[in-house]
Amino acid sequence: MLGNAIALIAIAAMFGLEAYKVKDRIPRLVFGAIAVLFALGGFGISPIVEKSPAVGTFLSGIFEQPLSWFMLFIALFFVLRPLWTKPGSFSALDYAPPDQVEDIRIKIENLEVSISRNTANINGVVETVVGLQDDLTENARLTSQNEGGLVAVTHMMSEIQKDAIADFKELREADAQLGKAIDETKAQIAKEVTERVMADTNLRRSFAALSDKEWIERATSELARRASELSTPTDSGADLSSSAVWSEWSGRYDEWDNLLRDYISVSARYVSNFEEILQVEDAAYGANWEIKDSQFPNSEGVRRYKKFRIILSHWRSAQRELNRKVQQAAFEGIFFNDF
């Protein structure tokens, strides 16, 4: 019973960690409440078992299942995962899009401030050149009688213009490089956000596949059990010719068929053409059968029983591929992301 208590406390720790990380109030309360319930169960399981052995037997049955311990392993895996994750690596469980968006906004604002400063410097250079040209023109007019002075002034104006143009070109080039850096930064950030969203999506799909895997296993067991009950005409030569017996058989068959269609709906998420197991070729009805027409009330009853057996055979043949693809979907997102 100690192992059961540890398992409950570990699950409580997982939900407590999720409650700590989430920001919204309602999800935090929900995760926190679940964590408290599991913690109370873990610390209080021994007194409960002492007072009620039946409850202890029930809990032991749950924790002796391999799937229960597997889910415990998954919980501990994500609680302890930060201990071995490399500093620069990304975990989809730590991904918080609002923080990432705020970081992007701050980077872009800083770059835009740099562009504004460069633009102001360019405008200042242009204004300085214009002012110098006006001053030199006025000086040239006043000293026009001195040919040597006019030549010197003209040469000075030419040099100043060249320097101003060179400064202007350098500033424009710096502005272009800054714009290029902004584009590259945006592209890199978009790539990182996309990769993180994809990793988070894969992880969610993996947990959904784990849930589907558990349901499919239970449904498979139930379908097999009911199919065995419906197959008595073949297995033991049962006689279904009377109206009462045939009516009972038909009712159980309808229940089996409804469960099978639910099974197909879930399985189609992993095997695209899984619904084809319901298709029955006319030639299949004429194959060799270990039944007699006299075991059924009429020819329609014979045909309906044969259809059941054909679909049952299709279903059994398709299970292997389905189990492989469900298991692949369940474990890929967990064990093959961000290592």
Side-chain angles (χ1 to χ4, degrees):
M1 199 52 62
L2 177 60
N4 299 344
I6 293 174
L8 290 173
I9 294 171
I11 296 173
M14 178 187 68
F15 282 104
L17 180 62
E18 291 300 320
Y20 173 76
K21 292 193 298 181
V22 74
K23 292 185 176 181
D24 295 336
R25 181 180 180 183
I26 294 178
R28 174 172 290 182
L29 291 177
V30 172
F31 281 123
I34 294 175
V36 171
L37 290 177
F38 274 105
L40 291 177
F43 289 108
I45 189 171
S46 296
I48 293 174
V49 171
E50 292 177 358
K51 294 182 179 180
S52 178
V55 175
T57 303
F58 173 75
L59 294 176
S60 297
I62 293 176
F63 284 96
E64 288 174 0
Q65 296 296 323
L67 181 61
S68 300
W69 290 105
F70 175 74
M71 294 306 294
L72 174 58
F73 169 76
I74 295 298
L76 294 175
F77 175 80
F78 285 106
V79 171
L80 300 177
R81 187 178 184 183
L83 296 178
W84 68 75
T85 301
K86 296 180 179 179
S89 63
F90 164 72
S91 172
L93 297 176
D94 297 331
Y95 172 57
D99 296 340
Q100 182 65 31
V101 172
E102 180 63 18
D103 183 58
I104 294 172
R105 186 186 66 80
I106 293 173
K107 290 181 179 179
I108 292 177
E109 286 181 354
N110 292 336
L111 292 174
E112 289 177 347
V113 169
S114 298
I115 292 175
S116 298
R117 290 175 179 174
N118 284 340
T119 302
N121 291 336
I122 292 172
N123 293 334
V125 170
V126 173
E127 291 176 358
T128 300
V129 171
V130 172
L132 287 173
Q133 287 180 334
D134 292 341
D135 293 339
L136 292 174
T137 301
E138 180 64 18
N139 291 335
R141 186 183 64 81
L142 295 174
T143 59
S144 58
Q145 295 178 355
N146 189 336
E147 182 178 355
L150 180 60
V151 172
V153 170
T154 303
H155 178 72
M156 186 182 297
M157 286 182 58
S158 177
E159 292 298 324
I160 292 175
Q161 287 178 337
K162 289 178 181 180
D163 292 340
I165 292 173
D167 292 341
F168 180 79
K169 288 181 177 180
E170 290 179 0
L171 290 173
R172 289 294 299 270
E173 183 178 354
D175 183 66
Q177 292 177 352
L178 189 59
K180 182 179 179 181
I182 291 175
D183 293 338
E184 291 177 351
T185 301
K186 288 181 178 179
Q188 181 63 28
I189 292 172
K191 179 181 177 182
E192 292 177 359
V193 171
T194 300
E195 290 176 351
R196 295 183 182 186
V197 171
M198 289 180 64
D200 183 67
T201 300
N202 291 338
L203 191 63
R204 293 177 186 274
R205 289 176 178 173
S206 293
F207 279 110
L210 281 174
S211 178
D212 288 342
K213 182 177 182 292
E214 183 179 0
W215 185 90
I216 288 172
E217 290 175 351
R218 293 198 307 268
T220 298
S221 177
E222 183 64 16
L223 285 169
R225 183 187 67 79
R226 296 186 183 184
S228 178
E229 295 176 353
L230 294 170
S231 299
T232 53
T234 299
D235 298 338
S236 60
D239 186 2
L240 306 180
S241 59
S242 67
S243 299
V245 176
W246 177 251
S247 177
E248 181 182 355
W249 186 94
S250 297
R252 287 185 294 169
Y253 171 75
D254 290 339
E255 293 175 357
W256 182 85
D257 183 68
N258 290 335
L259 179 57
L260 178 64
R261 292 180 185 277
D262 292 340
Y263 185 96
I264 291 172
S265 297
V266 176
S267 302
R269 301 170 187 167
Y270 308 97
V271 180
S272 59
N273 59 342
F274 198 81
E275 67 278 1
E276 291 181 0
I277 66 173
L278 297 176
Q279 297 178 5
V280 179
E281 300 290 339
D282 290 338
Y285 290 103
N288 295 327
W289 292 88
E290 298 178 358
I291 57 172
K292 299 178 181 179
D293 292 351
S294 60
Q295 292 177 257
F296 303 92
N298 49 46
S299 60
E300 183 62 28
V302 175
R303 187 175 180 86
R304 190 177 190 190
Y305 179 79
K306 288 183 177 181
K307 180 180 179 180
F308 156 68
R309 292 289 297 180
I310 295 170
I311 294 175
L312 177 61
S313 177
H314 292 172
W315 172 66
R316 287 171 175 170
S317 299
Q319 286 183 31
R320 183 174 181 180
E321 181 183 4
L322 172 64
N323 292 336
R324 179 179 63 82
K325 290 192 174 182
V326 171
Q327 184 171 350
Q328 180 181 0
F331 297 126
E332 275 188 349
I334 296 176
F335 296 106
F336 298 100
N337 273 330
D338 294 320
F339 282 96

